[in-house]
Amino acid sequence: LQQRRGLRLSAPAAIQVTVRDALNQALDEELERDERVFLLGEEVAQYDGAYKISRGLWKKYGDKRVIDTPISEMGFAGIAVGAAMAGLRPVCEFMTFNFSMQAIDQVINSAAKTCYMSAGSISVPIVFRGPNGASAGVAAQHSQCFAAWYGHCPGLKVVSPWSSEDAKGLLKSSIRDDNPVVMLESELLYGVPFEMSEQAQSKDFVIPIGKAKIERPGTHVTLVAHSRPVGHCLEAATVLSKEGVECEVINLRTIRPMDIETVEASVVKTNHLVTVEGGWPQFGVGAEICARIMEGPAFNYLDAPAVRVTGADVPMPYAKLLEDNSIPQVKDIVFAVKKALNI
């Protein structure tokens, strides 16, 4: 009727959604969509989750679908892996991925290798998810990035979201995947609002695992990052653009399988590469990207050596000043770009 009267109808606008709420939406939609999906972990049910990711889900779905566990990562990860082998689709939350070291035998030896060792006859559709990398003021035993750890292992898929759309789309894809997926979130991003498009608000919205996204096009240098450092790269790109340097910022989204083709195409265009990550330098995600570029066709297009920006090669200090100097900052990315461009 409004259209007949000549009134202009606008499409629903994009909305601001925090990463926390995006993850909650994804869990809610997948629990509703598939009765085989269930969530388990410490405090995920009656307390609504340590980070409120599972807020309201226990009241909606009950004890059989949202399950509080004892403080025993090896125990409840093992239960989840067994449930996946038996045909369910568990989402296993670690309060932090630092605690996943208690269950790493279950993640690697039980979940990741079973499909191969059974000649494809047993699939393990499980998602291990929770906060990864540095938070704020939690020191050495709670501030490690596990992207390189789990990205090293065949049989796993590893995703690492930045924005709310990343978080929702990747979690839904991970739950629907027939393989074990490790989803590395950032605690410091949980409360950050991002614009969510109309498409991303749909219950059918998924993001393919293994596909990176160009967050900002540019011509002078390629910046590649995942998780929280993507935001730092975009901030650095804004600073550098005022000096005439246009950075192409790539959000990896997936650590394994890695979308090296998107990185290669960008390097062919910009002729320079800088990788950024919160993890340690040795055997890191940036090291893998640099090696893949060196071994592939894009190497001949590089006009300068690739540069890595990483966390400091030390256990995370507790003191804030030292912590800030152990995590890549915008100024470190700007410095690395200028080094790569020799300016």
Side-chain angles (χ1 to χ4, degrees), residues 30-31 33-38 65 87-90 125 178:
E30 293 306 303
L31 283 161
R33 174 181 175 271
D34 189 340
E35 63 181 11
R36 297 172 298 173
V37 175
F38 71 98
R65 305 288 303 282
L88 299 179
R89 306 186 83 88
D178 287 333

Side-chain angles (χ1 to χ4, degrees), residues 96-110:
T96 155
F97 259 93
N98 298 276
F99 302 157
S100 77
M101 284 192 287
Q102 300 290 329
I104 204 162
D105 180 62
Q106 305 285 13
V107 178
I108 304 301
N109 284 327
S110 297

Side-chain angles (χ1 to χ4, degrees), residues 308-319:
R308 290 181 293 158
V309 180
T310 71
D313 197 22
V314 295
M316 184 64 67
Y318 173 71

Side-chain angles (χ1 to χ4, degrees), residues 47-66:
Y47 188 65
D48 279 340
Y51 306 100
K52 306 307 173 192
I53 302 299
S54 54
R55 184 192 293 122
L57 298 181
W58 174 67
K59 289 181 179 177
K60 183 173 181 179
Y61 294 102
D63 290 322
K64 289 188 177 180
R65 305 288 303 282
V66 183

Side-chain angles (χ1 to χ4, degrees), residues 12-18 21-27 29-30 163-172 176 194-207 213 253:
I15 59 174
Q16 293 281 317
V17 177
T18 65
D21 289 340
L23 291 166
N24 181 268
Q25 284 177 27
L27 287 168
E29 290 169 9
E30 293 306 303
S163 68
S164 298
E165 285 197 6
D166 288 351
K168 181 178 180 181
L170 287 172
L171 180 52
K172 287 170 72 74
R176 297 181 189 187
F194 288 88
E195 189 174 276
M196 186 173 277
S197 66
E198 179 190 359
Q199 179 189 12
Q201 295 168 45
S202 164
K203 291 185 178 182
D204 298 321
F205 177 71
V206 293
I207 290 173
K213 180 186 178 186
R253 283 180 163 172

Side-chain angles (χ1 to χ4, degrees), residues 134-285:
S135 180
V138 292
Q141 294 181 343
H142 299 79
S143 296
Q144 296 157 104
C145 176
F146 286 82
W149 293 53
Y150 287 119
H152 180 63
C153 302
L156 289 178
K157 295 182 178 180
V158 183
V159 298
S160 182
W162 169 60
S163 68
S164 298
E165 285 197 6
D166 288 351
K168 181 178 180 181
L170 287 172
L171 180 52
K172 287 170 72 74
S173 288
S174 299
I175 292 171
R176 297 181 189 187
D177 202 287
D178 287 333
N179 302 283
V181 181
V182 172
M183 182 159 177
L184 304 171
E185 302 155 11
S186 169
E187 181 184 337
L188 295 174
L189 289 176
Y190 282 153
V192 178
F194 288 88
E195 189 174 276
M196 186 173 277
S197 66
E198 179 190 359
Q199 179 189 12
Q201 295 168 45
S202 164
K203 291 185 178 182
D204 298 321
F205 177 71
V206 293
I207 290 173
I209 294 173
K211 187 63 183 169
K213 180 186 178 186
I214 297 174
E215 297 287 349
R216 175 178 177 139
T219 54
H220 296 128
V221 60
T222 298
L223 296 179
V224 187
H226 64 94
S227 192
R228 189 165 173 258
V230 174
H232 295 339
C233 287
L234 289 170
E235 289 180 44
T238 300
V239 171
L240 287 160
S241 68
K242 296 174 183 176
E243 301 182 32
V245 176
E246 294 301 328
C247 303
E248 181 144 294
V249 179
I250 296 177
N251 173 8
L252 269 183
R253 283 180 163 172
T254 305
I255 306 301
R256 184 184 186 105
M258 186 178 285
D259 182 6
I260 203 66
E261 292 79 14
T262 294
V263 180
E264 285 178 336
S266 179
V267 170
V268 167
K269 179 172 69 171
T270 68
N271 310 118
H272 298 89
L273 173 65
V274 174
T275 68
V276 185
E277 64 188 304
W280 295 312
Q282 190 155 323
F283 312 118
V285 174

